[in-house]
Amino acid sequence: DPEVSRVIANEVVDHYMKLRMESRSGDQEDRIGFLMAEARRVKSELQEAQNILASYTAPLEIEKALTDLEAESSLLGKRYGPKHPKMIEVEGRLASARERFSDGVQRILANPVDQEFWSSRKGSLGALDSSEAVNVERDLIISRHAVLNSEVSGQSDLYATILSQVEASGLTADNPEAE
């Protein structure tokens, strides 16, 4: 949850700053050093989460097209039989979209950065028949995307909080360590 991440980040930084102020030894340098190290760590984690999230863009676009094609197929199915040219055409597009979606899922599964999440789910996906697997994959991709979106939001909030603490500590953007 982004709000929880922000509150935790604020509490950690505030607690650390209070402890350092009480000790009075090297307070400013220690605080800035700690904050800069945290900023680098959180920035790295944020970039990793953003990269993982970006790998879900194409499969999610295909999933939306799949949903639209399924609705079209259902509508046409009420009007025409399975051998009608319009039904054959939409079913062909639907099969193609399912194949493109499965290819996109395979690229996600092969992404080494997100292996931890997918390693426990690969076996169960392989045991399903293709239409069942596509539906399970769709649910997993949508769920994982939502979780990653939340992670990115939380990491962004945490990074912004740390940067604001860095600024409050007197470190300016002119300082090369601020990157």
Side-chain angles (χ1 to χ4, degrees):
D1 181 23
E3 182 64 24
V4 172
S5 296
R6 185 181 60 73
V7 169
I8 291 172
N10 283 336
E11 290 298 318
V12 167
V13 170
D14 288 344
H15 181 71
Y16 177 80
M17 289 175 65
K18 285 176 187 172
L19 288 175
R20 297 310 304 165
M21 287 179 133
E22 290 171 4
S23 71
R24 304 264 187 210
S25 64
D27 178 43
Q28 186 71 3
E29 286 180 24
D30 288 348
R31 182 173 48 234
I32 290 172
F34 169 77
L35 290 172
M36 291 308 301
E38 282 299 292
R40 283 188 293 276
R41 181 188 64 78
V42 170
K43 183 178 181 181
S44 174
E45 289 174 3
L46 174 60
Q47 288 172 333
E48 182 176 308
Q50 287 172 328
N51 289 340
I52 294 170
L53 184 63
S55 70
Y56 286 76
T57 302
L60 284 172
E61 289 172 359
I62 296 168
E63 193 283 327
K64 183 182 178 337
L66 254 173
T67 300
D68 294 344
L69 283 168
E70 287 169 341
E72 183 180 350
S73 175
S74 176
L75 186 65
L76 289 173
K78 292 176 184 176
R79 191 182 292 172
Y80 305 111
K83 295 190 183 211
H84 191 277
K86 288 185 178 185
M87 284 300 294
I88 292 170
E89 186 263 333
V90 78
E91 289 301 319
R93 289 189 297 150
L94 196 52
S96 175
R98 282 187 181 120
E99 187 175 316
R100 285 192 331 268
F101 179 75
S102 287
D103 290 345
V105 169
Q106 292 308 312
R107 282 192 296 281
I108 288 172
L109 295 176
N111 184 348
V113 181
D114 207 18
Q115 282 296 311
E116 184 179 329
F117 175 80
W118 288 105
S119 63
S120 65
R121 289 157 181 85
K122 281 183 182 178
S124 62
L125 290 176
L128 303 173
D129 73 20
S130 70
S131 63
E132 207 179 349
V134 168
N135 289 333
V136 171
E137 289 169 347
R138 287 167 80 171
D139 292 342
L140 286 171
I141 295 293
I142 291 167
S143 298
R144 181 67 174 150
H145 183 262
V147 168
L148 288 170
N149 243 344
S150 180
E151 266 185 46
V152 166
S153 179
Q155 289 290 344
S156 293
D157 290 346
L158 180 58
Y159 187 61
T161 299
I162 291 172
L163 289 182
S164 70
Q165 293 293 325
V166 168
E167 286 180 23
S169 296
L171 189 62
T172 65
D174 297 336
N175 189 328
E177 286 188 6
E179 288 288 321

